[in-house]
Amino acid sequence: MPASASPPATGSRAVDLRLYGLLDVGVCGADGARLAKLGAEAVAGGCTLLQYREKDIPDARAALARIRAIREAVHGRVPVLVNDRVDLALAAGADGVHLGQSDLHPADARRLLGEGAIIGLTLKKPAQADELYRLPVDYACIGGVFATSSKDNPDPPLGLEGFASIAFRARLARGSGLPLGAIAGIGLDNAAGLIAAGADGVAVITALFGAEPVRQRARDLRARIDGALADRAERAR
């Protein structure tokens, strides 16, 4: 990640990562009305955070219209973030951005978006987690944990042990107050295991938006996640 020109601030907003729905254009399609409907259904089923995700955006105006449609559909019930593109997040009035390691530095994104914005960051390697102490991010997602068809996969995927190792170092760097999510290849069969390994929530695409009914899929995922969080809290007593 390129260096920032000035010292960063700390993260500014509390983020509920329990069920993080990624409205990926490659999976969900580019129709704005459909994306808005899918987002609203996911939120009705228990999704706690949404992201508009479109790689290699060919038409910024069309993407902007889709982001605005999603925001209008959820009526502020959950934050709506934009993947990578700070300019589109600003223009659409989105709640923030999710950044990859090769995107704009989080400190520069913070200066552009302001202290009230949510800024998330992808972590793929332990050394990246070590840098969190100086980055003004509100949450981090660790991945790819498992193989997935919706994005490029690490070789090999991190798996549970790899996820837990990076999560441990992230918490050494920023303490327990920074929410940590898991991303890539996650669904009903493995979400609880990731919560047990230290995730505060999971980011999903296909498991939520890959088929109908989205609202029921969200309910099932949210129930699995909440149950695993309750089990973890009980074990910690």
Side-chain angles (χ1 to χ4, degrees):
M1 176 169 290
S4 174
S6 63
T10 58
S12 61
R13 286 181 59 175
V15 181
D16 186 346
L17 280 185
R18 281 177 294 172
L19 182 52
Y20 188 179
L22 310 187
L23 286 160
D24 184 279
V25 169
V27 173
C28 303
D31 180 81
R34 173 171 166 76
L35 286 165
K37 179 179 182 295
L38 291 173
E41 286 293 300
V43 172
C47 193
T48 57
L49 185 66
L50 287 175
Q51 180 193 124
Y52 175 81
R53 185 177 184 273
E54 182 179 7
K55 294 295 186 181
D56 304 317
I57 296 174
D59 187 341
R61 288 190 177 184
L64 184 59
R66 291 192 281 267
I67 298 164
R68 286 173 172 161
I70 295 164
R71 291 191 69 245
E72 290 173 4
V74 302
H75 301 295
R77 287 173 290 171
V78 303
V80 176
L81 311 185
V82 177
N83 184 260
D84 298 346
R85 295 286 296 266
V86 173
D87 58 336
L88 290 180
L90 277 168
D95 296 283
V97 293
H98 182 88
L99 302 172
Q101 289 291 322
S102 61
D103 295 326
L104 188 68
H105 192 282
D108 295 323
R110 177 65 69 200
R111 281 193 291 271
L112 290 168
L113 292 169
E115 289 302 314
I118 294 172
I119 296 177
L121 181 67
T122 294
L123 304 176
K124 297 183 177 181
K125 299 177 181 179
Q128 294 166 354
D130 296 340
E131 295 296 306
L132 283 173
Y133 75 93
R134 65 183 187 89
L135 300 179
V137 298
D138 302 286
Y139 74 88
C141 277
I142 299 169
V145 180
F146 304 114
T148 176
S149 60
S150 61
K151 61 188 298 183
D152 293 336
N153 296 299
D155 186 20
L158 294 172
L160 281 175
E161 289 188 5
F163 169 85
S165 175
I166 295 176
F168 176 76
R169 288 175 65 164
R171 291 202 162 102
L172 283 179
R174 273 286 293 269
S176 60
L178 184 74
L180 297 177
I183 189 169
I186 300 167
L188 275 174
D189 59 337
N190 53 27
L194 282 160
I195 299 297
D200 298 304
V202 298
V204 292
I205 302 176
T206 305
L208 185 56
F209 300 116
E212 301 284 353
V214 169
R215 185 179 303 204
Q216 187 60 51
R217 283 172 163 251
R219 285 174 177 159
D220 292 343
L221 280 163
R222 178 66 183 273
R224 188 69 55 89
I225 292 161
D226 286 350
L229 286 167
D231 289 345
R232 190 173 78 188
E234 182 65 28
R235 289 195 300 273
R237 289 181 181 176

